[in-house]
Amino acid sequence: MTESPEATVDVLVTQLDDIADPAERFQATRDVEKHFDAAVKVIRQRIALQLKDQMTWRQVGEVMGGVSAQRAEQVSRGA
């Protein structure tokens, strides 16, 4: 069974907290944040494209939290 996102984050936070050197721990958190942001951007892009197959950009924007149709389309392009 797949772990919940919260459980996965908890494991990562514990691993980061276990880094003894504060400077090294800080750099590790920045690296994780950078990689996570990039991965989430790709996932959102794929979701926007999948939604567009089923609805208009305006509707996609609504599903994506009430963003404009233009912003929804930008997300689909990775912008």
Side-chain angles (χ1 to χ4, degrees):
M1 177 177 250
T2 304
E3 287 188 42
S4 71
E6 293 84 7
T8 302
V9 169
D10 289 346
V11 168
L12 180 57
V13 168
T14 298
Q15 290 172 344
L16 290 169
D17 278 339
D18 286 345
I19 299 172
D21 180 3
E24 184 181 337
R25 186 169 56 246
F26 179 79
Q27 187 58 49
T29 61
R30 291 194 59 170
D31 293 344
V32 166
E33 184 177 29
K34 180 178 73 174
H35 292 296
F36 182 78
D37 289 347
V40 167
K41 184 177 180 179
V42 169
I43 292 168
R44 287 182 178 157
Q45 182 179 6
R46 278 189 256 152
I47 292 168
L49 290 169
Q50 289 170 335
L51 289 170
K52 178 56 177 120
D53 288 340
Q54 304 168 16
M55 56 187 70
T56 67
W57 282 122
R58 183 184 58 76
Q59 292 167 321
V60 172
E62 289 173 8
V63 170
M64 296 176 75
V67 301
S68 69
Q70 293 81 7
R71 180 64 187 134
E73 190 173 0
Q74 287 175 338
V75 169
S76 77
R77 294 191 312 264

